[in-house]
Amino acid sequence: MRKFNLLVLNEWLKIFKKRSFFIPYLIAVLFQAMIAYISHSFSPDSFPSAAAFIKEMLLPTGLGQIIAILAIIGTAGIVSKEHSQGTVKFLLIRARSRTAILASKYVTVLLYALSLTVVTAASIVISGILLFQTGGGETGIADILQSLLYGYVYTVVYVTFVFMVGVLTNSTGVTIGISMFAVMMDKVVIYRDFYKYFLFPNLDLSIYRGGTPPLPGMTLGFSILMLAVYMAVFLLAGFLVFRRRDVA
Amino acid sequence: MERITANQGQSEIKGGVPVLQMNKVTKMIKGKAIVNQLSFEIGRGEIVGLLGPNGAGKTTTIRMMTGLIKMTEGDVLVQGHSIRNDFKQAIAHIGAIIENPEFYSHMTGLDNLLQYVRMSDGISKSRITEVVELVGLQEAMNKKVKAYSLGMRQRLGIAQALLHSPKLLILDEPTNGLDPAGIREMRDYMRKIAEVEGISILISSHMLGEIEQICHRAVVIQNGTLVRVTRLGAEAQTEGEVALTVRVDNIAAAQAVIQAEDGVKLTGADELHSELNIRLYDHKVPELVAALGAAKVGVYRITEHKQSLEEDFLNWTGGNRIA
């Protein structure tokens, strides 16, 4: 386990030592501050309380999407850049299995997505408290934590998808392109029964919070199952290809 | 034919367990054999050159040894551990630079080395200092790798390859892109490493001069198959015979003298430069010179005619056609 932790530390350092490391965090914080300020100044009635603001902002329909996009950009290159820079040769001739190396990269992107979520959430909480009325309203701490969870699930599913695409295509640019297209398309709903088996309508679990499901027959349990199946497939494809690939 | 050359390669090992054993390694890509039934061995402390024209399969061979690409058939044993079935044990004995050494350029030299320290077992702090001193990069350790010259990156590459004290160092085209000073430096490092660390080295190259200068043996491959294994610097001692080139003023007269002399073989004549290539025993040389003098043939130069590795190489591989 210690060996594996060291691999994760390696991957984290590769990201952390970049000069641009803090930029995504900065973008997320500034973006939420801007939205908070605009809604506070121009439509102060849109959020009855700080808690309601925080709850909405954390969802995939709020800043969750921005967090996902930033996490996608961070994830897209983690495997393919090793190939394009040629560093993969030194990486793979160590006494560590390819499975362990790829797993350490996956754990690192999950941590990266988590750190982005936590930093953004913290800054949302701060702007909520500063700009909106604390106390009152119906929204409680449980709702906020639920939003946080749903936002993170959305990001993690995307990160897993991007991770697989990155392994399969070996190209950072193509990976970001495909993923951004997916992020833009995921709100579109095709009103046919088969569409509920697609990934997109299941991504945002917050739709089950009181509202009606986007397609008949969809439930929270169904969506969680679909997400689990898709993630398993993504990971399986990524690991199988990475283990067997000839590094030229 | 293949079997004979392969056995010949194995019989030259000095004894003990070979550090590296290539066992009928084959790589097929789209039905074409890039490397075909390649077998050879490397003994303890040996420096071996892997030679071949462009596209002969040198880099493919090395990538299979290091597990970067999978072999279709056969196996590579490193200290008796199979790269196929016991990868972690086998690769732990290998240090390698494959093509150009590429590092994380946004990190310092030390950070890069620490990456590889964390991926190996039991490397002490003192070992890092030791390796850095061996390649002379003490001053540059805290600089980012993007500020390194190619020569410095090459040295950092050696450092990362030596960190875990491997038994076999594999260098793929180590002098590629280096200037003459860098090439010479590289050669010195390799000698030093072989002496100080006492490890075997496999160098792949098409720079024949390089191989000739540092290697004990050369493994020549072409189109993915073994052409021959040759011991370098061994031909000179064959039977005490020497090959000489003599430049004279009158080539016809000289030819007559040489043919009359016992035990001197005329192997070639170059009319243009009025030079003659001959083979004879060492002790015959003064006799021949006296005979030439007696026949009033003016001698300008007598030089030893060494068949260079280059000529051998071109003979073995049938010229420089690119496969």
Side-chain angles (χ1 to χ4, degrees):
Chain A
M1 200 58 207
R2 195 183 151 268
K3 289 181 184 178
F4 185 73
N5 290 344
L6 286 175
L7 287 180
V8 176
L9 174 64
N10 265 355
E11 295 303 325
W12 184 260
L13 286 175
K14 284 179 208 167
I15 301 178
F16 179 72
K17 296 261 176 179
K18 281 196 185 115
R19 205 177 292 163
S20 57
F21 174 76
F22 292 102
I23 292 177
Y25 296 91
L26 206 65
I27 291 175
V29 169
L30 290 179
F31 206 83
Q32 70 73 29
M34 200 174 76
I35 293 178
Y37 179 74
I38 290 173
S39 36
H40 168 71
S41 323
F42 299 103
S43 61
D45 304 329
S46 51
F47 299 108
S49 69
F53 169 76
I54 296 164
K55 177 193 139 195
E56 284 304 316
M57 288 286 276
L58 286 173
L59 288 177
T61 42
L63 264 193
Q65 195 167 23
I66 303 294
I67 297 173
I69 290 172
L70 294 171
I72 286 168
I73 295 170
T75 304
I78 195 158
V79 174
S80 52
K81 279 225 175 92
E82 299 270 7
H83 281 97
S84 61
Q85 293 173 349
T87 47
V88 68
K89 292 174 291 183
F90 283 161
L91 185 71
L92 294 183
I93 56 164
R94 308 289 145 184
R96 299 288 179 268
S97 69
R98 288 197 185 186
T99 310
I101 289 171
L102 193 65
S104 72
K105 284 184 178 292
Y106 184 60
V107 169
T108 306
V109 294
L110 291 186
L111 289 176
Y112 181 66
L114 184 65
S115 72
L116 270 170
T117 309
V118 167
V119 168
T120 316
S123 70
I124 289 174
V125 169
I126 292 169
S127 5
I129 290 171
L130 287 180
L131 296 174
F132 297 95
Q133 197 181 0
T134 50
E138 292 152 15
T139 318
I141 189 81
D143 293 313
I144 292 175
L145 288 179
Q146 205 178 35
S147 289
L148 190 64
L149 181 68
Y150 289 162
Y152 188 57
V153 166
Y154 177 82
T155 309
V156 163
V157 175
Y158 260 113
V159 158
T160 311
F161 172 70
V162 172
F163 194 72
M164 174 200 70
V165 176
V167 172
L168 297 189
T169 63
N170 259 346
S171 154
T172 315
V174 171
T175 305
I176 291 182
I178 291 175
S179 315
M180 287 304 152
F181 183 72
V183 171
M184 296 210 298
M185 295 304 289
D186 71 1
K187 300 286 183 287
V188 178
V189 178
I190 300 169
Y191 290 98
R192 288 280 183 278
D193 191 48
F194 69 85
Y195 193 62
K196 70 181 178 192
Y197 297 105
F198 278 58
L199 177 64
F200 295 152
N202 295 299
L203 274 172
D204 184 0
L205 297 177
S206 66
I207 47 172
Y208 298 107
R209 212 148 55 178
T212 46
L215 290 166
M218 286 176 72
T219 62
L220 181 64
F222 173 83
S223 285
I224 290 174
L225 181 71
M226 290 308 296
L227 291 182
V229 169
Y230 270 103
M231 288 201 17
V233 170
F234 293 159
L235 287 176
L236 202 67
F239 275 83
L240 282 181
V241 169
F242 189 76
R243 277 177 58 84
R244 299 173 59 87
R245 170 169 288 153
D246 280 354
V247 176
Chain B
M1 169 67 196
E2 249 167 43
R3 179 167 298 182
I4 295 164
T5 40
N7 285 343
Q8 180 196 344
Q10 281 159 12
S11 63
E12 285 186 49
I13 305 292
K14 284 171 219 152
V17 194
V19 174
L20 178 99
Q21 256 177 301
M22 294 281 286
N23 227 331
K24 294 191 173 165
V25 174
T26 301
K27 176 70 181 177
M28 308 278 284
I29 296 178
K30 287 175 187 153
K32 192 173 171 285
I34 308 294
V35 172
N36 195 3
Q37 300 274 319
L38 188 60
S39 300
F40 62 88
E41 299 188 353
I42 298 176
R44 212 167 285 271
E46 256 195 320
I47 306 184
V48 174
L50 181 62
L51 282 177
N54 289 331
K58 300 188 294 288
T59 298
T60 309
T61 305
I62 282 181
R63 282 170 192 266
M64 281 193 283
M65 280 178 195
T66 48
L68 286 177
I69 64 179
K70 308 265 179 285
M71 45 204 122
T72 317
E73 270 172 52
D75 203 350
V76 177
L77 300 181
V78 187
Q79 295 278 90
H81 299 286
S82 155
I83 276 282
R84 276 193 125 155
N85 310 316
D86 197 4
F87 176 74
K88 284 196 255 180
Q89 287 285 326
I91 201 77
H93 296 295
I94 292 183
I97 306 180
I98 293 142
E99 289 176 330
N100 290 332
E102 307 287 357
F103 291 95
Y104 304 102
S105 58
H106 62 283
M107 308 205 301
T108 64
L110 185 63
D111 282 339
N112 270 286
L113 286 187
L114 285 175
Q115 284 270 328
Y116 304 118
V117 170
R118 289 188 205 101
M119 297 183 85
S120 306
D121 305 313
I123 298 177
S124 63
K125 280 248 159 59
S126 61
R127 177 65 185 164
I128 305 175
T129 338
E130 194 182 311
V131 169
V132 169
E133 268 169 27
L134 180 75
V135 298
L137 276 179
Q138 300 93 314
E139 309 295 315
M141 269 298 108
N142 291 318
K143 276 190 200 152
K144 290 196 173 174
V145 171
K146 62 179 129 183
Y148 278 28
S149 67
L150 182 58
M152 286 163 85
R153 271 195 281 142
Q154 202 61 267
R155 285 194 265 166
L156 191 61
I158 297 179
Q160 76 60 47
L162 292 176
L163 269 178
H164 52 294
S165 314
K167 297 282 187 299
L168 173 67
L169 183 63
I170 298 177
L171 304 169
D172 187 14
E173 308 277 359
T175 54
N176 232 355
L178 289 182
D179 58 14
I183 290 175
R184 184 172 184 157
E185 197 177 54
M186 190 76 195
R187 201 160 59 218
D188 292 343
Y189 280 127
M190 281 189 261
R191 284 218 186 88
K192 204 156 129 191
I193 291 158
E195 274 170 34
V196 176
E197 305 267 327
I199 61 181
S200 314
I201 307 182
L202 176 74
I203 304 168
S204 106
S205 185
H206 51 241
M207 306 273 281
L208 299 161
E210 285 303 305
I211 298 287
E212 206 169 12
Q213 286 186 46
I214 42 175
C215 294
H216 301 132
R217 280 195 304 145
V219 174
V220 184
I221 62 171
Q222 186 181 27
N223 295 337
T225 47
L226 191 79
V227 176
R228 63 179 296 157
V229 178
T230 179
R231 187 153 285 283
L232 294 174
E235 295 92 331
Q237 284 97 39
T238 45
E239 305 149 34
E241 258 192 345
V242 287
L244 297 179
T245 303
V246 188
R247 186 180 283 189
V248 292
D249 56 356
N250 185 343
I251 198 159
Q255 244 167 335
V257 172
I258 286 163
Q259 267 151 5
E261 197 75 15
D262 236 10
V264 181
K265 276 173 278 180
L266 187 67
T267 54
D270 181 356
E271 305 267 344
L272 192 67
H273 298 103
S274 53
E275 280 177 355
L276 294 169
N277 295 329
I278 52 172
R279 268 188 99 78
L280 71 172
Y281 285 101
D282 239 355
H283 63 267
K284 278 284 204 182
V285 178
E287 267 177 56
L288 178 70
V289 173
L292 284 170
K296 299 258 186 268
V297 177
V299 178
Y300 294 103
R301 274 178 197 71
I302 302 181
T303 49
E304 192 168 359
H305 175 75
K306 266 195 188 152
Q307 174 109 338
S308 71
L309 184 58
E310 183 171 275
E311 284 165 54
D312 287 339
F313 179 76
L314 294 179
N315 280 340
W316 298 327
T317 60
N320 57 353
R321 71 196 150 80
I322 294 167

